[in-house]
Amino acid sequence: MATKNQDEDHQLHIVMVPWLAFGHLIPFLELSKSLAKMGHRISFISTPRNIQRLVKNQSSSPFINFVSIPLAKDENLRDQAEATIDLPLDEVPYLKKAYDSLEGPVSIFLETSRPDWIIYDFAPHWLPPIASRLDIPCCFFSIFNASVNCFFGPPSRHTESDKDDSVSRNRKMLEDFTATPSWIPFPTNLAFRMHEIRKVFGSIQINVSGVSDGRRFACTIQGCEVVAIRSCMEFESEHLGLLEKLFEKPIIPVGLLPPSPDVNDEDDKHEEWMKMREWLDKQEKKSVVYIALGTEAALTKEETSELALGLELSNIPFFWVLGKPTGSTDDPSSMLPEGFEERTKGKGFLCFSWAPQMRILGHPSLGGFLTHCGWSSVIEALGFGCPLILLPVINDQALNARTLVWKKVGLEIERDEEDGSFTREAVAKSLRTVTVDEVGETYRAKVKEMRQVFGNNLLHDGYVERFSQYLKEHRRSNADKLVKN
C-alpha cells in the first residue's frame, strides 16, 4: 500500500483557464470537480462575478480553489459584463480584449504557484509562451466534440502565415463550408447550410483585440502537449482518430462530463420548480415536448411566432422556456403571436425565466426535446434517453445537428436552405414524427441505445481516470526541470 507521502507525490496541482462563456465555464468546472475527486488540487481562474455565479448552489470541494482576477477596465465594455451571457453579440469582441488583460496576473500566479499542468481554452493565445518559459506542460481542452473540430481542420489553416496552403484554398468562399471537407475520409453529412454559414460570418464583429478567433485557436493547439476533448469513443471513434492526425497531438477523450447531481440539489425546494413539477405531474407519460433554445442565441420575433404556431398546430403538450435574448430588456412574452397564451392555456407551460433543465428532462412526462443543439444540452438530453427535435441557431450547433441526424437520434425541422426560414407546418410535423407518430419509432429506439452511453456515469468516470493517469505520467519531474535549466 502506498504511504501518505507517496499518495501526495502523485497528486497534481492543475490550473484551469477557461474562456468567459458559461458554455465553456461549466464543462471546465465539471472536469475540475472530477479531477478533484481523485485528489488533485485545482486552481480555477476566472473573474469575480463568474466565480460568484459558479459557486452558487454548488457543493464545495476542498481541492478546488477559485482564483479571482478582475478584468481591466474598458470604456467599451458595459459594467458587470464578465461573460458572454452579459452582452449582446456585437459587444463580445470587447470582452475578448478585456480577457487578454488577464495575461499579466495569470503569469504572476503561475510563477508563484508553479503547477504541474495548465488546462486551457481556445482564447488565451498568450498562455503557451508563458508556460514554456516556466516549463509547465499544457493541455488544450475542447468543449466541442470531435466532429466539430474535424470539420474546421488542422490548426495550421487558421494562421495568417498559412493562408495560402491547400487547406485554406479549399475554403475561399462561403459555399466551400457547405460541403464536407476533403480531409474527412469517411462518409458523413458534416457541412453547414448556406443560411448557417452566413450567420456564422455575419456574427463576426470587428476584431478589437487584434487577435482573431482562428489565431487564438491555432496558438493554443500548437502550444499544448496534449488535447483533451469532451467526447467518447462509443459515440464518435472515427472522428477522434482523425483528429489526432489533423492536430498532430495526442487526443484524449475525457468522456461527456455529465452534470453532477449536486448542481441541482436545491431545485426541489425552489418555489418555481414546484409549480413546474405540479404541471408536469399532470401530463401523461412521455407526452410533453420540452423547448429550450439556449441563453445566448435567440430566434427572431418572426421565427418565435412561427415556432409557437407550430407547437399549437401539433396539438402536443409543451413546456417552453422562453427567456430574454442576451442584452435585451424586452419582455419575452412580446415575441409570441397574439392570443397564443390564452389559446394554449393548460396545454402548454410557458416559462419566462429560470428553469431546472436537468429536472425537466428527467421527468417521466417528457417525450421529446426541441433543442438548439448546444453540446451540453444534447449530452443532458441523451443521458435521459430523450428524443431530439433539432433547430440549430448558430456556430457549432449546426454541425452538432448534422451529427445527431447521422446517428439517427434526432430530426431537424425542415428549413429553407438559403434564408433558414421554417413554417409552422414543418415544426408540427417534426414534433409529431419524433414523439408520437409510428414512423418516429426509429428515433425513440435509437435514443434508448444512446442512453446506455450518455447516461453511463461509470463509463465517463473511467475516461477522466485515464486522463488523470496521463497527466500524472507526463508531469515534469524535478530532474526534467534541472536538465532543461
Side-chain angles (χ1 to χ4, degrees):
M1 180 180 291
T3 67
K4 182 179 178 182
N5 288 338
Q6 287 174 322
D7 287 338
E8 288 175 352
D9 187 54
H10 283 87
Q11 292 170 353
L12 304 175
H13 177 203
I14 301 167
V15 172
M16 295 282 185
V17 190
W19 164 234
L20 306 178
F22 275 82
H24 294 243
L25 288 162
I26 297 298
F28 266 80
L29 182 58
E30 290 298 331
L31 181 58
S32 298
K33 288 159 73 173
S34 295
L35 290 169
K37 286 178 183 176
M38 299 171 191
H40 301 307
R41 290 190 301 116
I42 308 296
S43 293
F44 192 103
I45 295 178
S46 194
T47 62
R49 190 177 180 208
N50 287 331
I51 289 173
Q52 185 180 26
R53 291 185 283 201
L54 285 172
V55 300
K56 185 179 180 181
N57 295 329
Q58 296 274 350
S59 61
S60 60
S61 166
F63 293 99
I64 300 179
N65 174 41
F66 289 96
V67 180
S68 178
I69 302 178
L71 298 172
K73 296 291 184 183
D74 188 321
E75 61 181 11
N76 295 299
L77 195 62
R78 61 181 69 190
D79 288 341
Q80 302 255 302
E82 297 185 14
T84 55
I85 197 172
D86 302 322
L87 296 164
L89 197 59
D90 60 353
E91 293 182 27
V92 170
Y94 297 107
L95 186 65
K96 287 185 179 140
K97 181 182 177 184
Y99 182 81
D100 289 342
S101 72
L102 299 180
E103 177 178 358
V106 169
S107 178
I108 292 170
F109 177 80
L110 294 172
E111 287 171 4
T112 55
S113 62
R114 294 290 175 136
D116 296 293
W117 277 90
I118 304 169
I119 299 179
Y120 57 55
D121 212 329
F122 84 97
H125 62 96
W126 35 264
L127 197 43
I130 296 170
S132 178
R133 173 171 60 84
L134 299 174
D135 195 28
I136 304 169
C138 290
C139 170
F140 173 80
F141 175 37
S142 174
I143 58 105
F144 302 116
N145 60 35
S147 61
V148 169
N149 280 285
C150 284
F151 181 84
F152 288 105
S156 59
R157 68 172 298 274
H158 299 288
T159 58
E160 294 171 5
S161 60
D162 292 332
K163 61 185 174 183
D164 292 329
D165 68 12
S166 61
V167 175
S168 294
R169 284 200 299 271
N170 287 340
R171 284 180 172 168
K172 282 188 172 181
M173 303 172 65
L174 290 182
E175 288 81 357
D176 297 331
F177 290 87
T178 64
T180 299
S182 58
W183 53 83
I184 298 182
F186 43 80
T188 178
N189 63 345
L190 209 58
F192 283 98
R193 309 266 162 75
M194 182 53 74
H195 69 90
E196 294 164 341
I197 197 62
R198 279 202 190 103
K199 187 177 282 189
V200 169
F201 279 92
S203 71
I204 296 175
Q205 305 298 322
I206 185 168
N207 183 4
V208 299
S209 71
V211 184
S212 68
D213 283 355
R215 171 66 69 172
R216 290 176 190 273
F217 174 78
C219 290
T220 49
I221 292 285
Q222 292 170 337
C224 75
E225 298 194 7
V226 61
V227 174
I229 189 160
R230 191 186 187 188
S231 188
C232 63
M233 295 295 288
E234 291 77 6
F235 182 68
E236 50 174 2
S237 58
E238 301 95 335
H239 288 99
L240 284 163
L242 174 60
L243 197 61
E244 196 153 76
K245 297 176 183 176
L246 294 174
F247 280 9
E248 299 180 317
K249 302 277 182 180
I251 303 293
I252 302 181
V254 295
L256 297 170
L257 300 173
S260 306
D262 62 7
V263 171
N264 293 292
D265 273 354
E266 294 299 312
D267 292 347
D268 280 333
K269 306 169 190 174
H270 199 292
E271 184 178 348
E272 289 301 313
W273 165 238
M274 291 172 71
K275 294 176 184 175
M276 298 170 192
R277 185 175 60 188
E278 183 181 358
W279 185 85
L280 289 166
D281 286 345
K282 293 177 182 176
Q283 311 307 311
E284 293 182 13
K285 188 177 180 181
K286 295 192 179 299
S287 67
V288 176
V289 170
Y290 171 55
I291 304 102
L293 300 175
T295 55
E296 298 189 33
L299 300 181
T300 64
K301 183 171 182 176
E302 292 73 19
E303 290 170 334
T304 302
S305 179
E306 204 64 21
L307 176 55
L309 294 171
L311 290 172
E312 190 175 357
L313 184 63
S314 75
N315 201 35
I316 292 174
F318 64 86
F319 188 111
W320 189 359
V321 178
L322 183 60
K324 292 179 183 178
T326 298
S328 172
T329 57
D330 294 339
D331 183 345
S333 64
S334 66
M335 304 280 283
L336 295 170
E338 188 175 351
F340 174 77
E341 292 183 70
E342 291 76 19
R343 293 193 304 272
T344 59
K345 194 170 184 179
K347 191 73 174 178
F349 191 106
L350 286 164
C351 174
F352 296 115
S353 56
W354 172 89
Q357 180 157 294
M358 290 288 284
R359 296 292 194 208
I360 296 167
L361 288 170
H363 195 277
S365 69
L366 254 286
F369 179 23
L370 199 164
T371 174
H372 63 307
C373 307
W375 188 223
S376 290
S377 288
V378 168
I379 289 169
E380 291 171 7
L382 293 181
F384 287 109
C386 190
L388 303 174
I389 303 98
L390 312 173
L391 189 65
V393 181
I394 197 168
N395 297 338
D396 64 302
Q397 297 164 10
L399 299 178
N400 289 337
R402 301 300 108 78
T403 298
L404 296 167
V405 168
W406 190 259
K407 302 279 186 181
K408 294 182 171 61
V409 293
L411 175 67
E412 280 195 67
I413 293 174
E414 187 176 343
R415 303 171 80 164
D416 184 281
E417 295 266 339
E418 288 293 318
D419 64 18
S421 61
F422 55 87
T423 65
R424 65 199 70 174
E425 290 81 10
V427 171
K429 181 181 178 183
S430 298
L431 288 170
R432 294 198 62 83
T433 296
V434 170
T435 58
V436 297
D437 290 348
E438 187 177 343
V439 69
E441 183 55 36
T442 303
Y443 303 105
R444 298 191 287 273
K446 193 67 178 178
V447 295
K448 287 179 183 176
E449 290 179 29
M450 280 292 155
R451 184 174 187 175
Q452 305 308 309
V453 173
F454 282 71
N456 188 338
N457 287 344
L458 286 176
L459 172 70
H460 301 298
D461 287 346
Y463 274 103
V464 180
E465 286 172 7
R466 287 188 288 277
F467 177 54
S468 167
Q469 189 62 34
Y470 180 94
L471 296 179
K472 287 190 286 188
E473 290 174 356
H474 292 81
R475 72 192 299 183
R476 296 274 197 273
S477 68
N478 289 331
D480 291 336
K481 294 175 182 177
L482 287 171
V483 169
K484 183 169 182 177
N485 292 332

